[in-house]
Amino acid sequence: MKKNISWLMLAITLAVAALRAQPPQTQPIPENILVVRSDSLQGLVGARALFPLRGGLKGEAWAIADVLATGSRSPTGEHAPRIQIAQTDPTLKKNSPTLVLSWQEGERFGTACLTQTTGLLTSPSTRFTPGLIAATDIAATVEGKAFSAGRSAVLVPGNLTQLEAYQAVWERKAELLRFLVLAPWLFSLALLFAAWRGKSFGNPKIFGGIALVLWADLLLGSPLLERLPFSYSVTEAARFYGIGNDAAGLFIGCALAAGFEVPALLAVALTIGAPSLGANNGCFLAALVGIMAQEVGKLPVRKRLRAALAALLGIALLFLGLARWDASRGAGVQTHLGQAVSGERVGVVRLIGRKLAMNGHLLVSSPWSLLLLTSGVLLARQRAGRALIAGGAALALNDSGVLAAAMLLLPLAAQKTQSPPAQSGAGG
């Protein structure tokens, strides 16, 4: 990629990240609202939103009613603060706004309707996606302030027709997710077949095109990623916006495999990590480590250690600066990183511990471990140390790092499936 285009990518990324850093115009909800549950919202008028009925770590014993009442997806004690959700007929007239909740077992979404208001509900938890709130936001909405993991909903313009269109997109993506489990098996077989034939099936132009498409999509608000079975999944309540570890890993791997120059690689990293764009901190760091490994590997051996230490210091300062900036923003727009630094949510040490625990579980249970192993072995066979460093960073720095690392290494391994091993230090 020509250097002037690389610098242009970086400039555009910085400009768009800054322009999108401010939250949209919203209206606060009324104070002192009531909350009730109903079997149906038919005929009820008010601002609406969907909230996912799934989410939380494997092995956690919780029910959706507990999540709504406590604002937490983790098990809570009997004496934990909680709101009361009454069972009542929503057709009864009330003198104050009422938040009516309706959900059915087996469905992907519940519905909330706030009477005596108009528009759609949203919240900072979903980066103000119209018509979408987290289940943990219900308690915060009733309290009118942050409550456990939830944050209070606000009002934005919209109508029921728009909400139904959004739901159709999210439901369709959830259906496609069922087939994603086949991807690591197919990719692994393709890599092994190419290695057996002794041929590379990676094309830098194709990888460059994929990276550019992902870059443009994130700058435009992810209209493509929200429809593909990659990246975040609204129905699973694992990530509501930005870029997920699978798409982020592929983004980094394709950019490295395409031979992007440093300014373009920095644009990729910032697009992934900027809170107003990808908001994926682990893959942001992995991208920076990948850039470092690529550039340090080009130096004479005697200069690599000093350059690597300087680069790591630069990465740490850049990440700290991003975290501090995020923490300085209002609580309503901070990402998890900003909340951890500012003390609004779980601390950094506990955040790291949670990521390590999740990675350990996925290493022995996820089919993506097969693709990670296949790509890793092929790259090790070719002595592609720089690629393995990037993959190792993606594995270590994400709570689903197995997925991020597998997708990052895939395009790099696809270029290096030929039989003769590369010279030591090359092919990174």
Side-chain angles (χ1 to χ4, degrees):
M1 178 177 290
K2 294 182 178 179
K3 187 162 292 186
N4 55 347
I5 298 178
S6 296
W7 283 109
L8 181 61
M9 281 183 63
L10 181 56
I12 292 174
T13 300
L14 291 170
V16 174
L19 287 173
R20 295 183 55 192
Q22 295 301 317
Q25 293 294 323
T26 62
Q27 295 182 357
I29 63 170
E31 297 180 352
N32 301 318
I33 65 174
L34 303 174
V35 58
V36 298
R37 179 183 179 182
S38 173
D39 292 334
S40 173
L41 299 182
Q42 187 174 3
L44 198 62
V45 177
R48 295 204 181 196
L50 302 175
F51 56 90
L53 297 178
R54 300 183 64 182
L57 301 178
K58 289 183 181 296
E60 288 183 338
W62 55 263
I64 188 62
D66 294 329
V67 178
L68 299 173
T70 63
S72 174
R73 291 190 298 174
S74 299
T76 55
E78 294 181 2
H79 302 293
R82 63 184 64 221
I83 63 169
Q84 296 298 319
I85 303 176
Q87 182 83 28
T88 189
D89 184 351
T91 61
L92 293 177
K93 295 182 179 180
K94 297 186 177 296
N95 296 324
S96 60
T98 304
L99 184 65
V100 185
L101 309 177
S102 180
W103 71 90
Q104 303 294 330
E105 294 293 332
E107 294 185 352
R108 293 191 174 99
F109 292 103
T111 307
C113 179
L114 182 60
T115 64
Q116 299 187 21
T117 60
T118 59
L120 295 175
L121 294 170
T122 185
S123 86
S125 298
T126 64
R127 200 159 73 183
F128 302 102
T129 302
L132 181 67
I133 60 176
T136 52
D137 292 332
I138 298 297
T141 302
V142 174
E143 292 293 309
K145 60 182 179 181
F147 190 91
S148 190
R151 286 179 278 182
S152 181
V154 292
L155 292 166
V156 293
N159 54 51
L160 186 57
T161 301
Q162 291 173 312
L163 181 59
E164 290 173 347
Y166 297 148
Q167 182 175 2
V169 171
W170 298 329
E171 295 273 8
R172 191 157 48 245
K173 178 168 183 171
E175 291 295 329
L176 292 174
L177 279 171
R178 297 184 302 168
F179 301 101
L180 192 60
V181 68
L182 299 175
W185 297 92
L186 297 176
F187 288 146
S188 297
L189 289 173
L191 287 174
L192 291 173
F193 179 76
W196 174 64
R197 294 292 303 270
K199 294 181 179 180
S200 169
F201 71 95
N203 188 315
K205 291 183 179 180
I206 294 177
F207 293 141
I210 294 173
L212 288 174
V213 167
L214 289 171
W215 173 72
D217 186 60
L218 284 167
L219 296 185
L220 294 173
S222 306
L224 180 62
L225 283 178
E226 73 177 6
R227 289 170 170 80
L228 295 177
F230 287 100
S231 200
Y232 60 87
S233 173
V234 168
T235 56
E236 295 295 324
R239 173 178 282 269
F240 293 108
Y241 56 83
I243 186 169
N245 287 342
D246 47 2
L250 181 65
F251 192 8
I252 299 167
C254 284
L256 292 172
F260 281 12
E261 296 184 2
V262 172
L265 290 174
L266 288 174
V268 169
L270 288 171
T271 305
I272 291 171
S276 56
L277 297 176
N280 189 320
N281 302 305
C283 285
F284 170 59
L285 285 174
L288 294 177
V289 171
I291 298 170
M292 178 202 74
Q294 174 181 276
E295 296 306 305
V296 170
K298 297 176 182 178
L299 299 174
V301 175
R302 66 180 184 278
K303 296 183 178 181
R304 291 181 183 177
L305 179 59
R306 182 180 298 179
L309 292 175
L312 288 173
L313 178 60
I315 290 172
L317 292 174
L318 180 59
F319 186 68
L320 180 61
L322 185 67
R324 288 296 180 185
W325 171 76
D326 192 18
S328 70
R329 303 193 299 163
V333 293
Q334 291 175 359
T335 65
H336 290 177
L337 177 64
Q339 291 169 356
V341 172
S342 63
E344 293 294 330
R345 195 171 280 189
V346 61
V348 175
V349 175
R350 289 183 61 192
L351 193 65
I352 294 173
R354 187 184 69 186
K355 290 179 180 292
L356 291 175
M358 178 61 76
N359 259 342
H361 171 76
L362 291 176
L363 275 171
V364 297
S365 64
S366 172
W368 293 95
S369 294
L370 174 64
L371 179 60
L372 177 61
L373 178 64
T374 303
S375 299
V377 169
L378 290 175
L379 288 167
R381 183 168 171 259
Q382 294 294 324
R383 302 174 189 174
R386 305 173 205 173
L388 292 173
I389 290 173
L395 176 64
L397 296 169
N398 292 280
D399 50 7
S400 56
V402 173
L403 178 54
M407 291 301 288
L408 188 155
L409 294 180
L410 173 62
L412 296 169
Q415 288 186 317
K416 298 185 177 297
T417 50
Q418 67 272 18
S419 296
Q423 295 295 320
S424 179

